[in-house]
Amino acid sequence: MVYQRKAQISSSTEQNLEDKSSGSLGCCGWLLFGISLIFTVFLFPITIIMCVKIVKEYERAVIFRLGRIADKKPKGPGIFFVLPCTDTFVKVDLRTVSFDIPPQEILTKDSVTASVDGVVYFRVSCPISAVANVSNAHSSTRLLAQTTLRNVLGTKNLAELLSDREGISHSMSESLDEATDPWGIKVERVEIKDVKLPHQLQRAMAAEAEASREARAKVITAEGEMNASRALKEASLVIAESPSGLQLRYLQTLTTIIFPLPIEMVSHFMQRK
């Protein structure tokens, strides 16, 4: 335990020394920084235009001084100052960006081919990481979203792909957010837009759905006939208990009976009148 503790202390000490050495400019760096500062002060009315910079509310500026990041925090929004000869800066947009994932031909878990596309919403959460850790954060996120879509949908079958879009979107969002976290990117939302199946599979699924609907319709019809027969049986039992009820039912049915008469007979009665 003592040796492990000493090793941890030595490693932390070495890391702190490396951080200090990486953050320092060195003798030549401080010399150039002093010369640039003197030059800026000497030509103050002219250099003020080169020193004052402005970033908008939704932007941040990462300043590089002699190739190193000057501060741990980005500058902005508003006015900030840079030295004309030693400092450069990169603007980073913090607004949410959306892009469409091109249609991807994927093979599901049950060996069904489908074309799936989607949309991703993300933003820059750490401007320094987005500038220092990746060359092009937006392009890298777009390419990673395509591969993540393929990888996630490859573990799902066709039924899950068609019914559980919300779960697939949540799984993709977590996976993509975890992968882009070192780049300073925060993935806010991933949505599956459209799932296109082959025409033969669509016709097969339509025939299957139509057959299942017909089967349910036959079952419902059979259940209706069974319920009607039970109701007729109960009615016959009630009528059998009362003979007068049978006579009343017979008289009730007479109202719906039509007796056809010849036209000659009707005309004979009309002539007598």
Side-chain angles (χ1 to χ4, degrees), residues 30 36 38 53-54 89 107 116 141 143 169 184 190 198-199 202 222 230-231 235 241 260 262 267-268:
W30 283 113
S36 177
I38 294 172
K53 304 295 180 182
I54 299 174
F89 68 96
L107 184 66
V116 184
T141 304
L143 296 176
S169 300
V190 179
H199 295 290
Q202 292 180 10
R230 288 177 181 176
E241 293 177 357
S267 61
H268 175 71

Short mmCIF file of all heavy atoms in Angstrom, two decimals, residues 30 36 38 53-54 89 107 116 141 143 169 184 190 198-199 202 222 230-231 235 241 260 262 267-268:
data_model
loop_
_atom_site.label_atom_id
_atom_site.label_comp_id
_atom_site.label_asym_id
_atom_site.label_seq_id
_atom_site.Cartn_x
_atom_site.Cartn_y
_atom_site.Cartn_z
N TRP A 30 7.99 34.40 -23.44
CA TRP A 30 7.80 35.63 -22.66
C TRP A 30 8.50 36.81 -23.31
O TRP A 30 8.01 37.95 -23.23
CB TRP A 30 8.33 35.41 -21.25
CG TRP A 30 7.40 34.60 -20.39
CD1 TRP A 30 7.62 33.36 -19.90
CD2 TRP A 30 6.11 35.00 -19.93
NE1 TRP A 30 6.54 32.93 -19.17
CE2 TRP A 30 5.59 33.94 -19.17
CE3 TRP A 30 5.33 36.15 -20.09
CZ2 TRP A 30 4.35 33.98 -18.57
CZ3 TRP A 30 4.09 36.20 -19.49
CH2 TRP A 30 3.60 35.13 -18.74
N SER A 36 5.69 42.22 -28.03
CA SER A 36 4.37 42.51 -28.60
C SER A 36 3.61 43.49 -27.73
O SER A 36 2.93 44.40 -28.23
CB SER A 36 3.57 41.20 -28.74
OG SER A 36 2.27 41.47 -29.23
N ILE A 38 4.94 45.79 -25.70
CA ILE A 38 5.57 47.11 -25.86
C ILE A 38 5.16 47.73 -27.20
O ILE A 38 4.86 48.93 -27.28
CB ILE A 38 7.10 46.97 -25.76
CG1 ILE A 38 7.49 46.55 -24.35
CG2 ILE A 38 7.79 48.28 -26.14
CD1 ILE A 38 8.97 46.22 -24.21
N LYS A 53 -11.67 42.96 -29.92
CA LYS A 53 -12.50 42.01 -30.65
C LYS A 53 -13.85 41.87 -29.95
O LYS A 53 -13.95 42.08 -28.73
CB LYS A 53 -11.83 40.64 -30.76
CG LYS A 53 -10.43 40.68 -31.39
CD LYS A 53 -10.49 41.12 -32.85
CE LYS A 53 -9.08 41.15 -33.45
NZ LYS A 53 -9.09 41.63 -34.85
N ILE A 54 -14.85 41.51 -30.73
CA ILE A 54 -16.21 41.38 -30.20
C ILE A 54 -16.78 40.04 -30.66
O ILE A 54 -16.66 39.66 -31.83
CB ILE A 54 -17.12 42.52 -30.69
CG1 ILE A 54 -16.59 43.87 -30.23
CG2 ILE A 54 -18.55 42.32 -30.20
CD1 ILE A 54 -17.34 45.06 -30.78
N PHE A 89 -7.29 33.78 -32.31
CA PHE A 89 -8.47 33.25 -31.64
C PHE A 89 -9.37 32.55 -32.66
O PHE A 89 -9.32 32.82 -33.86
CB PHE A 89 -9.24 34.36 -30.91
CG PHE A 89 -9.90 35.36 -31.81
CD1 PHE A 89 -11.25 35.23 -32.17
CD2 PHE A 89 -9.18 36.43 -32.32
CE1 PHE A 89 -11.85 36.14 -33.00
CE2 PHE A 89 -9.78 37.36 -33.15
CZ PHE A 89 -11.12 37.21 -33.51
N LEU A 107 -29.03 -3.91 -42.27
CA LEU A 107 -29.51 -5.28 -42.19
C LEU A 107 -29.91 -5.55 -40.74
O LEU A 107 -29.07 -5.49 -39.84
CB LEU A 107 -28.43 -6.27 -42.64
CG LEU A 107 -28.84 -7.75 -42.69
CD1 LEU A 107 -29.90 -7.96 -43.77
CD2 LEU A 107 -27.63 -8.62 -42.96
N VAL A 116 -33.02 3.49 -43.69
CA VAL A 116 -33.43 4.30 -42.55
C VAL A 116 -32.65 5.61 -42.57
O VAL A 116 -31.44 5.62 -42.83
CB VAL A 116 -33.17 3.55 -41.22
CG1 VAL A 116 -33.68 4.37 -40.04
CG2 VAL A 116 -33.82 2.18 -41.23
N THR A 141 -19.02 14.67 -36.02
CA THR A 141 -20.29 14.24 -35.43
C THR A 141 -21.23 13.69 -36.49
O THR A 141 -21.94 12.70 -36.26
CB THR A 141 -20.95 15.43 -34.71
OG1 THR A 141 -20.04 15.96 -33.74
CG2 THR A 141 -22.22 14.99 -34.00
N LEU A 143 -20.35 12.13 -39.34
CA LEU A 143 -19.88 10.80 -39.73
C LEU A 143 -20.14 9.77 -38.64
O LEU A 143 -20.52 8.63 -38.92
CB LEU A 143 -18.39 10.87 -40.06
CG LEU A 143 -18.00 11.75 -41.25
CD1 LEU A 143 -16.49 11.80 -41.40
CD2 LEU A 143 -18.64 11.23 -42.54
N SER A 169 -34.22 5.75 -30.72
CA SER A 169 -33.71 7.13 -30.70
C SER A 169 -32.98 7.42 -29.39
O SER A 169 -31.92 8.06 -29.38
CB SER A 169 -34.86 8.12 -30.90
OG SER A 169 -35.50 7.90 -32.14
N GLY A 184 -16.27 17.88 -26.73
CA GLY A 184 -17.02 19.04 -26.27
C GLY A 184 -18.37 19.19 -26.94
O GLY A 184 -18.90 20.30 -27.00
N VAL A 190 -32.00 12.72 -30.94
CA VAL A 190 -31.86 11.94 -32.17
C VAL A 190 -33.23 11.37 -32.50
O VAL A 190 -33.89 10.79 -31.63
CB VAL A 190 -30.82 10.81 -32.01
CG1 VAL A 190 -30.74 10.00 -33.30
CG2 VAL A 190 -29.46 11.36 -31.65
N PRO A 198 -38.37 -2.99 -48.65
CA PRO A 198 -38.52 -3.42 -50.05
C PRO A 198 -39.98 -3.63 -50.42
O PRO A 198 -40.83 -3.96 -49.57
CB PRO A 198 -37.74 -4.76 -50.07
CG PRO A 198 -36.79 -4.66 -48.92
CD PRO A 198 -37.47 -3.86 -47.87
N HIS A 199 -40.31 -3.43 -51.71
CA HIS A 199 -41.71 -3.51 -52.15
C HIS A 199 -42.28 -4.91 -51.95
O HIS A 199 -43.46 -5.06 -51.60
CB HIS A 199 -41.80 -3.11 -53.62
CG HIS A 199 -41.43 -1.67 -53.86
ND1 HIS A 199 -42.24 -0.62 -53.45
CD2 HIS A 199 -40.35 -1.10 -54.45
CE1 HIS A 199 -41.67 0.53 -53.78
NE2 HIS A 199 -40.53 0.27 -54.39
N GLN A 202 -43.27 -5.20 -48.40
CA GLN A 202 -44.46 -4.41 -48.12
C GLN A 202 -45.73 -5.14 -48.57
O GLN A 202 -46.74 -5.16 -47.86
CB GLN A 202 -44.35 -3.05 -48.82
CG GLN A 202 -43.27 -2.14 -48.25
CD GLN A 202 -43.20 -0.81 -48.97
OE1 GLN A 202 -44.08 -0.48 -49.77
NE2 GLN A 202 -42.16 -0.04 -48.69
N ALA A 222 -69.12 -14.91 -36.19
CA ALA A 222 -69.52 -16.14 -35.52
C ALA A 222 -69.98 -15.86 -34.09
O ALA A 222 -70.98 -16.43 -33.62
CB ALA A 222 -68.36 -17.13 -35.52
N ARG A 230 -78.52 -17.57 -28.80
CA ARG A 230 -78.81 -17.64 -27.38
C ARG A 230 -80.00 -16.74 -27.02
O ARG A 230 -80.87 -17.13 -26.24
CB ARG A 230 -77.58 -17.22 -26.58
CG ARG A 230 -76.45 -18.25 -26.60
CD ARG A 230 -75.25 -17.73 -25.85
NE ARG A 230 -74.15 -18.70 -25.88
CZ ARG A 230 -72.94 -18.49 -25.36
NH1 ARG A 230 -72.67 -17.30 -24.79
NH2 ARG A 230 -72.01 -19.42 -25.43
N ALA A 231 -80.04 -15.54 -27.62
CA ALA A 231 -81.16 -14.63 -27.35
C ALA A 231 -82.48 -15.23 -27.86
O ALA A 231 -83.53 -15.12 -27.19
CB ALA A 231 -80.90 -13.27 -28.00
N ALA A 235 -85.82 -16.18 -25.72
CA ALA A 235 -87.14 -15.65 -26.09
C ALA A 235 -88.16 -16.76 -26.28
O ALA A 235 -89.33 -16.63 -25.89
CB ALA A 235 -87.02 -14.82 -27.37
N GLU A 241 -93.79 -20.17 -21.94
CA GLU A 241 -94.44 -20.11 -20.63
C GLU A 241 -95.79 -19.42 -20.69
O GLU A 241 -96.62 -19.63 -19.79
CB GLU A 241 -93.51 -19.37 -19.66
CG GLU A 241 -92.22 -20.12 -19.35
CD GLU A 241 -91.30 -19.32 -18.45
OE1 GLU A 241 -91.69 -18.16 -18.13
OE2 GLU A 241 -90.21 -19.81 -18.09
N PRO A 260 -100.65 -9.32 -51.73
CA PRO A 260 -100.79 -8.80 -53.11
C PRO A 260 -102.21 -9.03 -53.63
O PRO A 260 -102.81 -10.10 -53.45
CB PRO A 260 -99.76 -9.64 -53.88
CG PRO A 260 -99.62 -10.89 -53.10
CD PRO A 260 -99.82 -10.55 -51.65
N PRO A 262 -104.85 -8.46 -57.19
CA PRO A 262 -104.87 -8.13 -58.63
C PRO A 262 -105.45 -6.75 -58.88
O PRO A 262 -106.33 -6.27 -58.15
CB PRO A 262 -105.77 -9.22 -59.23
CG PRO A 262 -105.80 -10.30 -58.21
CD PRO A 262 -105.66 -9.64 -56.88
N SER A 267 -109.92 -2.37 -59.52
CA SER A 267 -110.68 -1.54 -60.45
C SER A 267 -112.17 -1.89 -60.45
O SER A 267 -113.02 -1.01 -60.63
CB SER A 267 -110.10 -1.70 -61.87
OG SER A 267 -110.20 -3.04 -62.28
N HIS A 268 -112.53 -3.15 -60.19
CA HIS A 268 -113.96 -3.54 -60.14
C HIS A 268 -114.64 -2.85 -58.96
O HIS A 268 -115.77 -2.30 -59.10
CB HIS A 268 -114.03 -5.06 -60.00
CG HIS A 268 -115.45 -5.56 -59.82
ND1 HIS A 268 -116.39 -5.53 -60.87
CD2 HIS A 268 -116.09 -6.08 -58.74
CE1 HIS A 268 -117.54 -6.00 -60.44
NE2 HIS A 268 -117.38 -6.34 -59.15
#
